[in-house]
Amino acid sequence: MKILVTGGAGFIGSCFIRHILNKYKDYKVINLDALTYAGNIENLDDVKNNANYTFVHGNICDKKLVKELISEVDCVVNFAAESHVDRSISTPEIFIETNVKGTLNLLQSCKELGIQRFLQVSTDEVYGTLGKTGYFYETTPLAPNSPYSASKASADLLVRAYFETYKLPVLNTRCSNNYGPYQYPEKLIPFFISKLLKGEKVPVYGDGLNVRDWLYVYDHCSAIDTVLHSGTVGEVYNIGGHNEKTNLEITKLILEAMGKDESCIQYVQDRLGHDRRYAISNDKIQSELGWSPSLTFEKGIKITIDWYLNNQQWIKNIENKKAGVL
């Protein structure tokens, strides 16, 4: 099988490529990535010389390039997205361009050329927010509360429309908060680790009691693999870790692992439209496809923190690029 992975130089995309190349020795992967600020080609240094891996620098909005690449592959897995909520609040236009128009371009090319499967990687944020109890299910109505989640919900609806209208063989996954190695250090765990390494305080939004369900990135990748190969076309599959933690709990875990105390916390004004709680049900993917997370949160978070502490140069390289040093 030959797979086009879009956004493969990002956090989850790079881990998925590594997962596929390690598991399927006869598969070929083309990685299309625009290498925007969050795309880091260094994430795939360990596979760059693999004969089954090809990197293409380009944008999913480039119709000519997308069509050329899709004509060479059997399946498309779309990770390419602007994904940082804070950035979507200040510059929503970029999120519509990439997350909506880019996905539309991929879908249209897949329709015109024919494809075995198109898998859209989405987020539980399209469902909005939950109260203190209950879970998001695949049947939960979409109710996004940020420009980012609205752009992802729009893309999901386009994916559905291409199945309903054109019978394009699509699949849609929606995951909870990912954590693990190679995550761009604007997201909570690597961001806080990098701040503490520099002797700075970590900013916690509001009261810190916003709840997220945390999923280890390689468990997420194995779930996407399962859906790609065994999922029913036209269906949505939720992927969660069943690890509900408040932001404050995560912060305290990081502080403890790094020998710091709560004096390193700085509470800041809450984010606009900040969803209070996410929690996702895995019932469908477990009962229909037999997938469940393999790693406990306690083990996964230790692996993650250790990775960042042992790869401080990786963080410094990103910060230098951001500052224009490299």
Side-chain angles (χ1 to χ4, degrees):
M1 183 183 285
K2 197 168 186 179
I3 305 173
L4 174 63
V5 176
T6 62
F11 166 43
I12 307 173
S14 63
C15 291
F16 178 75
I17 288 174
R18 190 175 294 106
H19 166 85
I20 291 293
L21 292 174
N22 287 337
K23 183 176 179 181
Y24 304 101
K25 302 303 181 183
D26 58 337
Y27 279 28
K28 296 186 183 298
V29 174
I30 298 175
N31 173 15
L32 173 63
D33 199 293
L35 296 182
T36 57
Y37 77 94
N40 184 3
I41 200 62
E42 292 177 17
N43 289 356
L44 289 161
D45 275 352
D46 57 329
V47 302
K48 65 182 180 183
N49 295 321
N50 188 314
N52 290 335
Y53 171 71
T54 304
F55 172 70
V56 177
H57 185 197
N59 196 299
I60 60 170
C61 294
D62 184 333
K63 292 183 179 180
K64 182 175 181 293
L65 176 60
V66 162
K67 215 164 188 178
E68 287 175 1
L69 295 177
I70 290 176
S71 70
E72 299 177 20
V73 301
D74 305 300
C75 301
V76 176
V77 181
N78 182 30
F79 292 92
E82 295 284 345
S83 64
H84 192 45
V85 175
D86 286 350
R87 287 177 184 267
S88 80
I89 292 170
S90 59
T91 54
E93 302 88 353
I94 301 169
F95 287 73
I96 299 302
E97 185 69 25
T98 299
N99 299 357
V100 182
K101 292 183 179 179
T103 301
L104 176 61
N105 187 40
L106 291 170
L107 289 166
Q108 185 63 19
S109 294
C110 286
K111 179 181 81 72
E112 292 173 4
L113 293 168
I115 200 80
Q116 289 183 20
R117 294 206 161 190
F118 175 94
L119 193 152
Q120 172 75 1
V121 180
S122 190
T123 169
D124 58 359
E125 294 189 46
V126 299
Y127 295 123
T129 190
L130 284 168
K132 292 182 179 180
T133 60
Y135 296 96
F136 293 135
Y137 295 90
E138 290 82 357
T139 53
T140 301
L142 304 189
N145 290 322
S146 71
Y148 160 61
S149 55
S151 69
K152 291 297 286 185
S154 299
D156 286 1
L157 291 175
L158 283 171
V159 171
R160 171 186 162 83
Y162 268 70
F163 173 73
E164 295 292 341
T165 303
Y166 306 113
K167 303 308 174 188
L168 190 70
V170 303
L171 298 150
N172 197 328
T173 61
R174 294 173 184 152
C175 69
S176 57
N177 269 34
N178 278 220
Y179 70 98
Y182 300 103
Q183 189 170 28
Y184 190 81
E186 68 182 355
K187 299 300 178 79
L188 191 149
I189 293 173
F191 179 54
F192 281 14
I193 292 171
S194 66
K195 296 280 279 186
L196 292 168
L197 286 171
K198 291 182 284 190
E200 299 175 5
K201 291 191 175 186
V202 293
V204 173
Y205 280 127
D207 59 11
L209 299 182
N210 300 74
V211 175
R212 300 293 180 262
D213 173 24
W214 291 87
L215 173 68
Y216 187 61
V217 64
Y218 284 106
D219 274 336
H220 184 198
C221 292
S222 74
I224 294 170
D225 174 13
T226 300
V227 173
L228 181 65
H229 287 88
S230 305
T232 302
V233 296
E235 293 294 313
V236 176
Y237 294 91
N238 284 347
I239 305 168
H242 277 307
N243 293 305
E244 287 187 54
K245 306 287 182 185
T246 66
N247 289 345
L248 194 55
E249 284 179 288
I250 297 293
T251 303
K252 289 179 180 179
L253 277 171
I254 296 170
L255 291 173
E256 182 180 356
M258 296 182 65
K260 306 286 186 179
D261 59 35
E262 293 182 35
S263 65
C264 293
I265 297 175
Q266 180 178 12
Y267 291 93
V268 298
Q269 184 176 353
D270 206 356
R271 169 195 287 160
L272 295 172
H274 199 180
D275 294 326
R276 191 63 171 174
R277 174 174 172 260
Y278 304 144
I280 205 161
S281 168
N282 282 337
D283 289 354
K284 182 175 178 177
I285 193 171
Q286 286 181 330
S287 62
E288 294 186 10
L289 306 183
W291 177 89
S292 60
S294 66
L295 215 61
T296 64
F297 180 77
E298 289 71 25
K299 187 172 182 179
I301 194 67
K302 183 181 187 310
I303 292 171
T304 300
I305 293 172
D306 286 348
W307 188 89
Y308 287 109
L309 294 179
N310 292 326
N311 290 272
Q312 294 181 36
Q313 190 59 48
W314 181 87
I315 296 176
K316 288 176 183 176
N317 288 348
I318 289 176
E319 292 174 343
N320 287 339
K321 287 177 183 176
K322 187 177 178 182
V325 176
L326 294 177

